Amino acid sequence: MLRCASCWLDLSQPVVMGVLNVTPDSFSDGGQFQRLDEAVRRALEMVEEGARIIDVGGESTRPGAEPVSEDEELRRVIPVIEALAPRIEVPISIDTSKPRVMAEAVNAGAQIINDVYALRAPGALETARETGAAVCLMHMKGEPRTMQLDPQYDDVVAEVTAFFAERVSACIEAGITSDRLVLDPGIGFGKQLQHNLALLAAIPALSVQRLPLLIGVSRKSMFGALLGRPVHERLAGALAVTVAAVLAGAKIVRTHDVRATVDAVKVAVALKNAGYGIPMSGDSGSGA
Ligand code: 8Y7
C-alpha cells in the first residue's frame, strides 16, 4: 500500500495513471471556464476508463520545453484540482518540481507529488514531507530544455539505481517515510533509445528497498526512434512496453491512452497470474 496525503493506494496489482495536461495547448481556446470544464470532463472520462491516479501537470517537461513561472503554473493547475478532487475517488497527483505548487496542490486536494526533479529543488524535501503526500521520485539527467542533446552514460542502470538510493536516503532523512515513495527511471528524460531499452530490460533489478516502480512511455520519442512513427501513432509500441513492464514487476503505468492501457495491464496481469515466465517442470535443467 502506498501512503498518500489522506488515503492509501493499493498497489498489490498494477494500476494506470492517466495524464491530464493543463498547458494552454492541451485544450480549446474558449477561455478559462471552458478549459476548466474540458479538463474536468477528460479526467472523469479517464476515471471511467479505469485510471486509478489522475496526474495533473501545468508545466510541459517535454524535451526542449521552456520553464513556466510559479504563478502561471498555479493558475493552470489549482482550479482543476479544486474542481476535480470532490468529484473523483481516485487520488490526484500533481506533476511539478516547485515546492509552492506542491503545497497548494495538496491543499486543493492532490494526494501524490509526481516530481521529475525528484525533490532536488531547494525546499522541496521539506515541503513534500509536510504535505503528507506520496512522492514519485523520477530520474532525469540534465534539465528538460537540454536533456536530449546527446546524453551519455557509462552504465545507465547502475547510474539510475545509485540515483534512486541517494534520493531515497535524502527523503528518509527529511522525514518522508518509505511507505510514501515510488521510483521511476524517467524514460526519455536525458536518455537515448539504448538507455531507455536498457532501463526497461532491467526493471526487475532497478528498484531500491523494493519500492514500487512507475513507468511512463506514452507517446514518447523512443517509439519515433524504434518505429519511425509520429506522436499519435505510438500506442501499439507503448502497449507492448506496458505488457513487458507489468510482467517485469512495474506497479504504475503512466499514459495518455487510458482505455487501451488498462486493457493491456489486465492481459499482462492475467498472464502473470497464470505463471508467465515460470518454467514448466521438466523445462529447465539438463535438457535431456
Ligand atoms: C513522465 C512524467 C512526463 C514519466 C513520471 C511525457 C511528467 C513527458 N513523463 N512523470 N512526466 N514519469 N513520473 O511525454 O515518464 O509525458 S512528461
Side-chain angles (χ1 to χ4, degrees), residues 17 53-57 81 91-95 110-114:
M17 168 190 268
I53 305 169
I54 299 297
D55 189 38
V56 177
I81 294 169
I92 295 168
S93 67
I94 174 66
D95 158 17
Q111 303 269 3
I112 300 170
I113 294 165
N114 175 28

Side-chain angles (χ1 to χ4, degrees), residues 40-250:
V40 169
R41 254 212 306 269
R42 176 60 189 142
L44 296 176
E45 181 176 60
M46 289 195 289
V47 172
E48 282 294 304
E49 292 174 345
R52 297 284 307 281
I53 305 169
I54 299 297
D55 189 38
V56 177
E59 173 174 44
S60 176
T61 36
R62 259 175 236 143
E66 297 289 338
V68 303
S69 75
E70 184 174 273
D71 285 344
E72 177 59 22
E73 203 179 326
L74 287 167
R75 268 195 296 276
R76 291 177 185 177
V77 298
I78 299 302
V80 174
I81 294 169
E82 281 175 345
L84 207 51
R87 298 185 60 176
I88 60 176
E89 300 274 317
V90 310
I92 295 168
S93 67
I94 174 66
D95 158 17
T96 192
S97 299
K98 297 186 180 76
R100 188 162 153 238
V101 179
M102 294 172 188
E104 298 208 13
V106 175
N107 241 338
Q111 303 269 3
I112 300 170
I113 294 165
N114 175 28
D115 184 2
V116 301
Y117 211 65
L119 304 183
R120 286 179 290 164
L125 282 165
E126 295 70 24
T127 300
R129 179 197 57 231
E130 281 163 26
T131 62
V135 180
C136 179
L137 300 167
M138 199 197 78
H139 176 269
M140 169 168 62
K141 193 180 181 91
E143 51 177 281
R145 206 168 50 78
T146 53
M147 65 190 176
Q148 288 308 102
L149 305 175
D150 200 31
Q152 301 288 340
Y153 296 83
D154 286 332
D155 180 339
V156 67
V157 172
E159 198 168 312
V160 168
T161 305
F163 176 83
F164 286 162
E166 189 275 319
R167 295 317 297 158
V168 170
S169 294
C171 285
I172 305 286
E173 250 169 67
I176 303 171
T177 50
S178 61
D179 56 358
R180 291 168 57 186
L181 297 177
V182 173
L183 304 175
D184 181 346
I187 299 302
F189 284 83
K191 283 137 196 142
Q192 306 189 45
L193 176 61
Q194 80 245 35
H195 305 131
N196 292 322
L197 293 172
L199 289 166
L200 291 168
I203 284 175
L206 209 53
S207 188
V208 303
Q209 295 186 31
R210 312 200 60 208
L211 294 173
L213 281 185
L214 185 156
I215 299 292
V217 295
S218 184
R219 302 180 182 175
K220 283 188 178 171
S221 67
M222 67 173 282
F223 303 110
L226 258 175
L227 307 170
R229 302 265 186 232
V231 67
H232 284 290
E233 295 177 15
R234 295 176 181 172
L235 178 56
L239 295 177
V241 171
T242 294
V243 172
V246 167
L247 289 172

